Amino acid sequence: MSSTEEIDLESGLAAFRSKHFNTAYPLLKPLANNGQADAQYCLGIMYQNGLGMVANEPQAFEYMKKAAEQDHAMAQHALGFMYSQGECTDANPIEAEKWFLKAIDHGLTGSMTTLAQMYQHGDGVEKNQQKARELFAKAGMNPDDFM
């Protein structure tokens, strides 16, 4: 990445975090199109929620998936959520489980608890109380509080 691209990325991410989406978009869009995972993740969120633009679910899914495939932990969690809830794509609990497991490999507790709840209730996956307990515990929670 060139120094100009690095500056654009840092400026774009700062604008995104500051909720200045109209400033973030033109900085992040070319970087996302060139494969920069952080930029893809941010654009996925912006397109999904209509932040600084009209919501566009297919674009949100495309950018989120590209970032997730590059091992971006938060994008993996977000993609798992998209699949689990049928947001921006058709619901697919098997894909949701796959992406939550990848995010769990990065230590994301949100993925741990979401997947634990899926196992606990059999939401699209085979009900498995033991896996649910293990994930709640791994997330630092007392499984007995949830089960």
Side-chain angles (χ1 to χ4, degrees), residues 39-83:
Q40 291 169 336
Y41 170 70
C42 291
L43 283 185
I45 291 172
M46 291 170 66
Y47 277 118
Q48 182 178 10
N49 297 292
L51 303 173
M53 65 188 68
V54 174
N56 183 324
E57 290 188 350
Q59 286 281 60
F61 178 77
E62 179 184 332
Y63 280 112
M64 200 61 73
K65 188 167 189 208
K66 285 180 179 182
E69 288 172 342
Q70 292 188 69
D71 206 32
H72 190 286
M74 290 300 295
Q76 290 170 339
H77 174 80
L79 188 60
F81 195 82
M82 285 177 172
Y83 278 121

Side-chain angles (χ1 to χ4, degrees), residues 4 6 12 17 23 44 46 66 103-106 113 116 127 130-131 133 137 144-145 147:
T4 302
E6 287 179 25
R17 286 189 291 269
T23 300
M46 291 170 66
K66 285 180 179 182
I104 287 168
D105 287 343
H106 292 281
T113 57
K127 193 172 188 175
Q130 184 57 38
K131 281 185 178 181
R133 293 182 77 73
D144 294 330
D145 291 344
M147 305 193 71

Side-chain angles (χ1 to χ4, degrees), residues 85-139:
Q85 301 299 307
E87 289 184 13
C88 303
T89 190
D90 293 334
N92 184 331
I94 302 304
E95 283 293 306
E97 179 185 37
K98 169 185 149 182
W99 289 105
F100 284 136
L101 287 169
K102 289 178 181 288
I104 287 168
D105 287 343
H106 292 281
L108 293 185
T109 57
S111 292
M112 292 173 202
T113 57
T114 302
L115 188 54
Q117 291 170 342
M118 288 174 68
Y119 288 141
Q120 179 184 17
H121 302 293
D123 290 337
V125 294
E126 187 173 329
K127 193 172 188 175
N128 188 322
Q129 299 300 311
Q130 184 57 38
K131 281 185 178 181
R133 293 182 77 73
E134 289 170 8
L135 284 170
F136 281 129
K138 186 174 183 176

